[in-house]
Amino acid sequence: MPKQVDPEQRRLLVADAVLDEILENGIQSVTLARIAQRTGLAIGSIRHFFTGFDEVLAFTFSVVASRMRERLDDTEHDTGADPLDTIGTMLLHLAPGQLPHRENVAYLEYLLRVRTMPHLRAEIWQTQAAGEQLVGDLVRAALTGTAATDEDIRLETTTITAMLNGLALTDAYAPAPLDGHDVRQIVTRMLERLRRAYPATSPPRPPDRPGPPAP
């Protein structure tokens, strides 16, 4: 009786081979022949699970993006009610040392080549936009009750997103990976700067005190 093959597991096997190839040699080196060599599958077998090479690259990106979203979804379980703390936790979940190095490199390789990969452009930009929207919503929540304007919120959102991308880029291509302690200090200082730059416009209301007991 022939062994049953799980199509999704085979597709994930191929995606992992693509990620390994990108990490070692760059996205430009990915070919069906190299995937076959890494997985032990015949090229014809790989074609059985994908409509073509473009779908292989698209599926691999979707795997990376899905794993990143899972990390973001975990953020809400690790923080309190302070939106700034949530931003910090989110950044640390996606910062170098937390996101697997292989996936970090692959995401950046896709992002840097988006202009030459039109079949992936929409999904890549959509993933980027979703991350920026999440950061923007958290910044707006964090700065509620301060003198921050819509323009302040927009610029702070851009700054935080650019910082995260910059840390990822540095970690992916620097001679040595970023130190985890340094990354935490960078995020902590950024949050402290935000708190100082936008103080609350009115002090928090003290809790009601119970009145004297009735005679």
Side-chain angles (χ1 to χ4, degrees), residues 123-144:
E123 184 171 2
I124 292 174
W125 287 139
Q126 183 179 6
T127 301
Q128 277 286 103
E132 291 176 8
Q133 180 66 48
L134 175 59
V135 172
D137 291 343
L138 291 172
V139 170
R140 184 173 295 279
L143 299 184
T144 298

Side-chain angles (χ1 to χ4, degrees), residues 143-188:
L143 299 184
T144 298
T146 72
T149 65
D150 287 344
E151 181 67 1
D152 291 328
I153 292 169
R154 184 184 71 82
L155 292 175
E156 296 296 352
T157 299
T158 301
T159 298
I160 293 172
T161 304
M163 185 197 74
L164 181 59
N165 286 337
L167 287 174
L169 186 64
T170 300
D171 184 69
Y173 298 112
L178 289 174
D179 180 82
H181 176 73
D182 288 346
V183 173
R184 287 185 173 276
Q185 286 298 306
I186 290 169
V187 172
T188 298

